Amino acid sequence: MLPAGTEIHPEDTMLEENAERIMLDPTSRENLKFKDLVKVLIDWINSELEEDRIIVKDLEEDCYDGQVLQKLFEQLSGRKLNVAEVTQSEIGQKQKLQTVLEAVNEQLRPHGWSVEWTVDSIHSKNIVAIVYLLVALAMHFQAPIRLPEHVSVQVVVVKKQEGVLHTAVVTKELTSTTEDAFDTLLDHAPDKLNVVKTFADGVYLILLMGLLEDYFVPLYNFFLTPENFEQKVHNVAFAFELMQDGGLKKPKARPEDVVNLNLKSTLRVLYNLFTNYKNTE
C-alpha cells in the first residue's frame, strides 16, 4: 500500500507505543514546487545569516542540531537565547533544540500558528517538519521572499498501536496561497492608500516616532519642508535611525524606496511600527 520507492528503515519501526514517524514520499521530494520551496528557504536563511558567515546547503543536514535555527530565530526576533553555541552530543543538541523551539512556539502560538514540529522530528531530520517550521517563521516575520503557492507533499505515517505498526499515506499542505497581504491591499483598495504617500518625504515618519517615543525632535535635525529628493531621503533615513534607536530592527526598505512612492515598502515600515508598539502596550 506504500508509494513505489518508499523505504521503511529499521529505525523507523522501532517506535514506542502510540509513537509515530513521518517520512517524505520520494516522489514528493522530486516535486518541482517542493524543490523550489526548499531553495527559496535556503536562500532566505543564507541572506539572514550572512553576517554570521553561516551557509546552509541542505535543510535536513544543517538544521537538525538547532544551531542554524537558533541563529535564525535570534536574527528575526532580535532576542538572544541562552544556549550553548556548539554542542556535538545528541543530548546537548536536543536540549538546545528544546530551548529554541520553546522560544519559537512562544512567539508563534499567540498568533494562531499550528505547531507541526517537535524536538524529535527536527532532530531526526524530518524534512517536512523542518519546512513547516521555516515557512511559519518566514510568514510570521514577513520575510521579503515569495513562497511558492499551494505546495503539498505526500508523507508516509508509521504509527505503533497495541504493538502493531500501522502505515498510511497522507497529503500535507506546506504552503497555501502566499499572496502578500500588501499586494492584496494594493490590488483591492488602492484608493485608501493615498494617505501612505504622505509619508514619502519622511516628515510624518519622524514626527510619528517622536509621538511614539514621547520626545520632541529638534527641527534642525531634519527638513520640515523638504524641497528636493536628497532632502526627502535624508528625512526618511533619519526616521529609520530613530526607529533603530527605539529598539526596532533596521527596516529592509531603502529610504529611496519610500521617497519614490514604493507603497509596499512604505506599508511594511508602517506595519512594523504598528506591530512593535502594539506589542509593547
Side-chain angles (χ1 to χ4, degrees):
M1 297 297 290
L2 297 178
T6 300
E7 296 183 10
I8 298 183
H9 301 286
E11 61 268 22
D12 297 324
T13 66
M14 299 175 62
L15 303 176
E16 297 181 0
E17 185 66 19
N18 294 321
E20 70 176 25
R21 181 156 294 175
I22 299 176
M23 296 158 287
L24 182 64
D25 168 26
T27 59
S28 291
R29 186 181 290 275
E30 295 303 315
N31 180 282
L32 292 180
K33 292 184 73 172
F34 176 72
K35 293 173 78 170
D36 186 29
L37 173 60
V38 169
K39 182 180 184 305
V40 169
L41 292 172
I42 289 176
D43 289 345
W44 169 58
I45 294 172
N46 288 333
S47 175
E48 291 290 342
L49 302 184
E50 184 178 7
E51 293 183 2
D52 292 303
R53 298 185 178 181
I54 292 176
I55 299 177
V56 170
K57 296 182 179 179
D58 185 291
L59 292 183
E60 292 158 290
E61 295 299 327
D62 295 333
C63 292
Y64 82 96
D65 62 359
Q67 177 75 5
V68 169
L69 293 177
Q70 172 211 341
K71 295 295 185 181
L72 180 63
F73 180 74
E74 290 179 339
Q75 172 69 16
L76 296 172
S77 66
R79 173 181 169 188
K80 185 70 174 175
L81 300 180
N82 184 23
V83 293
E85 276 300 309
V86 180
T87 176
Q88 299 296 330
S89 70
E90 179 178 338
I91 294 177
Q93 290 171 353
K94 287 189 172 183
Q95 288 175 339
K96 184 172 194 170
L97 267 175
Q98 182 71 36
T99 300
V100 173
L101 295 185
E102 283 178 356
V104 169
N105 297 345
E106 180 184 328
Q107 181 88 32
L108 299 185
R109 271 198 177 117
H111 297 276
W113 290 101
S114 175
V115 176
E116 302 280 353
W117 50 84
T118 63
V119 170
D120 287 336
S121 65
I122 299 294
H123 195 266
S124 64
K125 303 180 182 180
N126 182 328
I127 185 62
V128 177
I130 293 171
V131 169
Y132 261 130
L133 172 58
L134 293 173
V135 168
L137 286 172
M139 295 184 68
H140 177 77
F141 287 103
Q142 299 180 328
I145 58 176
R146 182 168 288 278
L147 299 173
E149 297 181 2
H150 299 296
V151 179
S152 60
V153 295
Q154 284 193 321
V155 298
V156 179
V157 181
V158 181
K159 188 169 184 177
K160 191 172 187 178
Q161 291 180 312
E162 298 181 354
V164 179
L165 289 177
H166 300 269
T167 61
V169 179
V170 179
T171 298
K172 293 279 190 178
E173 190 172 38
L174 300 175
T175 68
S176 54
T177 177
T178 58
E179 182 181 21
D180 195 300
F182 299 125
D183 286 334
T184 302
L185 186 57
L186 290 170
D187 290 340
H188 300 291
D191 57 314
K192 300 183 185 301
L193 293 174
N194 287 330
V195 65
V196 175
K197 298 179 181 179
T198 62
F199 290 91
D201 63 8
V203 175
Y204 282 177
L205 282 175
I206 294 170
L207 298 178
L208 180 59
M209 282 305 304
L211 288 172
L212 292 172
E213 288 289 332
D214 195 26
Y215 56 66
F216 175 75
V217 182
L219 298 180
Y220 57 77
N221 281 329
F222 65 101
F223 298 95
L224 189 59
T225 55
E227 299 177 352
N228 53 48
F229 182 82
E230 288 72 22
Q231 291 180 356
K232 293 177 182 179
V233 169
H234 169 87
N235 281 357
V236 177
F238 178 56
F240 285 3
E241 290 178 14
L242 296 179
M243 293 175 194
Q244 291 176 264
D245 290 343
L248 278 70
K249 292 181 62 176
K250 181 180 180 180
K252 293 184 179 296
R254 300 179 308 146
E256 292 83 357
D257 294 334
V258 176
V259 176
N260 284 326
L261 299 179
N262 184 316
L263 297 186
K264 184 188 283 192
S265 295
T266 308
L267 279 172
R268 287 189 182 280
V269 172
L270 294 174
Y271 178 81
N272 289 335
L273 267 177
F274 170 76
T275 54
N276 181 79
Y277 285 95
K278 182 174 181 286
N279 291 336
T280 56
E281 288 180 354

